[in-house]
Each structure stands twice: as C-alpha cells, then as structure tokens.
Amino acid sequence: MKTKLLFFIPLFLIGCQPQTNRPEPSVYASEMHTAYLEYFGAYYAEEGLPQVVCALDCYSDGLKLNKQGVIEGSGTNLYISDIFLPAELASTPGATMLPVGEYAADTSGNPMTFLPGQMFEGQITGAYLLRIEDDQLVNYTILPSGQLQVRYDGDTAVLHLQAVTAQKQAYTADFRGVMVFQDKSKASKHARSIRL
C-alpha cells in the first residue's frame, strides 16, 4: 500500500500545478545604484522648442562608466535621452536638477515630459533598457510608455519609474542617491546613440 501512495502522490501534485502562462522574470534590474543627469540646455531651440533638455543615465549594481565614458561590467542601464524641463531653467544650468513632480512619456516636447522609447533609423532613442554582461550588450528593450516620479530628501534624489516595455511587460526602476550632474550644453552632439 505504501508504494501505491508514493506512486499516486507525485502524479496528483503534477496534475494540480498551475499552467505556466506567466511571463518570464525580467532580465533587467530594477534597483539603480548610480545616476547621471546630463544637461543639454535649450538643445532644440533652433527647431522652435525652447525647453531645456536633460538626459538621465542610470546603472544597476555591477555596471560603471570608465574614464573614457564606456560602460563596463554586468547589469542594467536605464537611459532616457530627452527629458523636457521649463525653458526658464536654461539661465541656471549649474543649479538645474530635475524639478520635483511627475514626468510622462510623450512626444510633445512639453515641460515635464520625456521622449518614449522608439526605433529611429536603426537606432534606439528615448527611454530604453540595456542588459550588459561582461562589457557586451546582450539584450535591450524600449520603453514606449511610462511615468517618472521625482522627489528629494535633502540632497538625495528619489526617482521612481513605472513603465511598459515593448513586449507589453510592466517594468519599474528606483534610484535613491545623489545624481551626478554633467553639463553637456557645449557638446556638439546630443546624447549617445545605440546602433543595433
């Protein structure tokens, strides 16, 4: 009788397991340990858009930028290439941090919006994630929709991103720390480009 019970118990357990229609766990980390705020000034002023433009470049544990500005290590990079701020911030770039509030993915270029992730001429731009292993890009996804919440606790920035990936999966990211400010308003080229 014992052998029959042992035989039937595993079959019973296997028969009751739920179907595996759940999405696979994300390969992208959600806890960011380093954040760079890149300031580009009124980058699109010649096109009639006076807003100040910044980019947000965040790294999970295991990734860092070397002295040449190249990503090294293994982990997740969250990048938002165009965050639009009020035009009046252009006069004080050194003091410009992300103002407190909620930013929405939007192509309007209005203040308090950021460019949603998209493919443009074979390159990704806007909001996107890179998965890097041993200094090599192994996976990426764009973030075509989402909201970024910004607040401060003294000098500490508290950032929370809620987004949806191109594969229609929810993604969240959090950063708590001091953002590194980089003035790139004199640079001849805006942001980085990732050709795939």
Side-chain angles (χ1 to χ4, degrees):
M1 186 69 176
K2 280 189 179 181
T3 53
K4 283 187 177 180
L5 281 178
L6 291 175
F7 178 75
F8 287 110
I9 289 174
L11 289 176
F12 174 75
L13 291 176
I14 292 169
C16 291
Q17 289 182 352
Q19 297 297 318
T20 55
N21 291 339
R22 294 173 286 173
E24 292 184 28
S26 176
V27 297
Y28 302 103
S30 60
E31 220 32 67
M32 299 295 140
H33 291 270
T34 308
Y36 296 90
L37 182 65
E38 302 169 341
Y39 174 84
F40 292 95
Y43 189 81
Y44 299 111
E46 291 181 9
E47 287 86 14
L49 191 67
Q51 278 71 297
V52 168
V53 178
C54 291
L56 186 61
D57 193 11
C58 299
Y59 298 89
S60 71
D61 192 30
L63 284 184
K64 66 176 185 174
L65 288 177
N66 65 20
K67 291 181 181 179
Q68 292 75 36
V70 176
I71 302 172
E72 292 181 338
S74 297
T76 297
N77 173 219
L78 163 64
Y79 195 79
I80 304 174
S81 67
D82 293 273
I83 301 173
F84 299 97
L85 307 178
E88 54 269 15
L89 293 177
S91 60
T92 56
T96 300
M97 294 305 271
L98 288 177
V100 171
E102 185 167 300
Y103 298 73
D106 188 318
T107 57
S108 67
N110 290 330
M112 307 298 282
T113 66
F114 63 89
L115 188 65
Q118 54 191 287
M119 295 294 294
F120 182 71
E121 296 179 354
Q123 297 183 3
I124 54 175
T125 188
Y128 58 85
L129 294 165
L130 304 178
R131 173 71 184 146
I132 297 167
E133 291 180 8
D134 298 323
D135 308 338
Q136 300 296 315
L137 175 64
V138 294
N139 202 355
Y140 72 94
T141 189
I142 60 173
L143 302 172
S145 64
Q147 294 82 34
L148 174 66
Q149 296 171 344
V150 177
R151 67 179 180 85
Y152 293 92
D153 185 4
D155 290 336
T156 300
V158 181
L159 310 178
H160 177 69
L161 176 75
Q162 290 181 290
V164 176
T165 69
Q167 296 77 25
K168 308 284 189 232
Q169 293 185 347
Y171 172 77
T172 61
D174 291 285
F175 170 77
R176 183 181 180 88
V178 176
M179 288 188 287
V180 179
F181 181 80
Q182 297 178 326
D183 187 352
K184 296 191 172 187
S185 58
K186 306 292 189 260
S188 59
K189 188 175 179 186
H190 172 56
R192 66 182 176 183
S193 62
I194 305 292
R195 183 166 290 281
L196 304 170

